[in-house]
Amino acid sequence: MIKVGILGAAGYTGGELIRLLLNHPEAEIVFANSESNAGNPVADIHEGLLGETDLRFSSELPFSQVDVIFFCFGHGKSEQFLKEHAVPDHVRIIDLAQDFRLAAPGNDFVYGLPEINREAIAHARHVANPGCFATCIQLGLLPAAKMGLIRSDVAVNAITGSTGAGQKPTGTTHFSWRNNNLSIYKAFNHQHVPEIRQSIKQVQGFLDADIEFIPYRGDFARGIFATEVVRTDADIETITAAYQSFYAEAPFTHYASKALDLKQVVNTNKALVHCDKYGDKLLITSCIDNLLKGAVGQAVQNMNIMFGIDETAGLKLKASAF
């Protein structure tokens, strides 16, 4: 059994991670850390787990008892935590924040997108889990990058559910504001753009174009639906074949022959991608569940790869038929 510790376990990602690991055939949760909820039942916060577990939040950090820890912190807290705490060398780390996603001197975290970094993840001690928008958009663009098609500015639009903003209520997340509403935020300046650029450059070998990304807040709880527009003269048959080949060995990412809708991926670890051609414009559509393939589902996928077990273990989740 893989012994697991979870830090920042009281948020949305912590709750989803606990839900997955409780049903994982080869993992056991040793502790779920939350200073503010220490001693309280996990199901008091994550009420969907009522009847599923007697686990309680802990203030302790028994690193010697675990094989891997998941950081479910807000951005900026992971780096600070590692400065203040000594994590034993044998304990692997999977960080869901953005602190270590970009390559830099002294950063030994492997970028945890299995579709391009599976081998590196398998040998990693530390993995930086990709951002939710970044995962969805990259999986749409990377096969085109492999073909060398990202040579001019790419127009990207993507809409996300309210859970992407975290569990703490804000002026733009409470129900009466979000319901029946739509808004733009961080246009052309979203924090996930640098990691998208990093991966495209890794796959294509260069990137001289801009990723012009406009994010939207949606009036639904979970999921990301994105469109990416690339200028190219390549024909749709060649592009389709390249996309199918790129994801042929990916257990969760699939090329779809028909137009997508968000419900196909919600509550699953799947990513779906579809392409259409309009003159010299390639319209790519991609969608994921932001809490699963965009966060803890991908994190568990990375854990499976790191420990050499079935990559799909604990992640065979089905979308609703309705």
Side-chain angles (χ1 to χ4, degrees):
M1 279 289 196
I2 302 168
K3 306 292 186 180
V4 178
I6 303 170
L7 283 74
Y12 283 141
T13 55
E16 279 291 275
L17 181 58
I18 292 169
R19 179 175 72 90
L20 292 182
L21 293 176
L22 287 174
N23 294 286
H24 194 292
E26 299 191 50
E28 176 186 345
I29 302 171
V30 173
F31 69 88
N33 176 266
S34 171
E35 296 291 335
S36 60
N37 293 283
N40 297 329
V42 164
D44 278 2
I45 299 296
H46 305 304
E47 295 180 350
L49 297 178
L50 185 64
E52 301 291 330
T53 180
D54 295 324
L55 185 68
R56 290 178 177 268
F57 292 110
S58 169
S59 62
E60 303 300 316
L61 299 171
F63 293 140
S64 63
Q65 300 176 29
V66 299
D67 304 305
V68 60
I69 51 177
F70 290 85
F71 289 172
C72 296
F73 297 136
H75 300 311
K77 293 185 179 180
S78 300
E79 185 174 14
Q80 187 63 35
F81 181 89
L82 289 176
K83 290 177 179 177
E84 297 173 352
H85 298 80
V87 178
D89 288 343
H90 79 276
V91 177
R92 302 185 193 190
I93 298 172
I94 300 173
D95 180 26
L96 278 83
Q98 68 183 34
D99 300 28
F100 301 104
R101 290 173 185 162
L102 300 181
N107 178 11
D108 72 342
F109 278 71
V110 170
Y111 188 67
L113 192 69
E115 287 77 5
I116 58 172
N117 288 332
R118 183 174 286 100
E119 189 64 25
I121 294 165
H123 296 92
R125 289 182 55 248
H126 301 152
V127 166
N129 217 57
C132 52
F133 269 131
T135 296
C136 188
I137 294 165
Q138 287 175 92
L139 293 176
L141 290 174
L142 289 175
K146 182 71 172 179
M147 298 175 71
L149 302 184
I150 313 297
R151 295 176 174 272
S152 59
D153 295 352
V154 180
V156 179
N157 291 272
I159 184 169
T160 186
S162 58
T163 52
Q167 192 167 20
K168 186 176 180 180
T170 69
T172 58
T173 60
H174 64 78
F175 178 80
S176 59
W177 188 91
R178 197 98 179 200
N179 187 47
N180 294 325
N181 201 6
L182 190 66
S183 63
I184 291 172
Y185 71 109
K186 296 183 180 179
F188 305 113
N189 195 36
H190 196 276
Q191 67 270 18
H192 289 181
V193 171
E195 60 184 286
I196 296 169
R197 295 184 61 85
Q198 176 177 261
S199 292
I200 292 173
K201 189 172 183 179
Q202 174 187 334
V203 170
Q204 186 170 259
F206 64 92
L207 180 60
D208 301 322
D210 286 337
I211 306 298
E212 298 180 339
F213 174 34
I214 302 178
Y216 297 81
R217 302 179 184 96
D219 67 341
F220 49 91
R222 57 196 299 165
I224 293 177
F225 192 90
T227 59
E228 304 93 22
V229 179
V230 174
R231 297 273 182 173
T232 177
D233 292 328
D235 62 83
I236 190 62
E237 291 77 18
T238 300
I239 291 168
T240 297
Y243 269 73
Q244 291 171 332
S245 175
F246 193 92
Y247 292 125
E249 302 300 323
F252 294 109
T253 303
H254 309 285
Y255 182 82
S257 60
K258 298 189 294 184
L260 306 178
D261 61 78
L262 191 59
K263 280 190 175 182
Q264 290 174 275
V265 297
V266 171
N267 294 317
T268 80
N269 198 52
K270 290 189 294 186
L272 297 182
V273 182
H274 174 72
C275 294
D276 290 297
K277 195 78 189 300
Y278 299 91
D280 68 344
K281 293 184 287 290
L282 171 63
L283 173 62
I284 307 160
T285 310
S286 52
C287 57
I288 63 170
D289 184 308
N290 59 295
L291 290 178
L292 291 169
K293 183 60 173 169
V296 299
Q298 185 153 246
V300 170
Q301 185 180 353
N302 282 324
M303 179 192 76
N304 293 344
I305 295 169
M306 293 169 82
F307 286 89
I309 63 175
D310 179 0
E311 188 171 339
T312 68
L315 293 169
K316 295 176 181 177
L317 311 168
K318 293 180 173 60
S320 171
F322 302 101

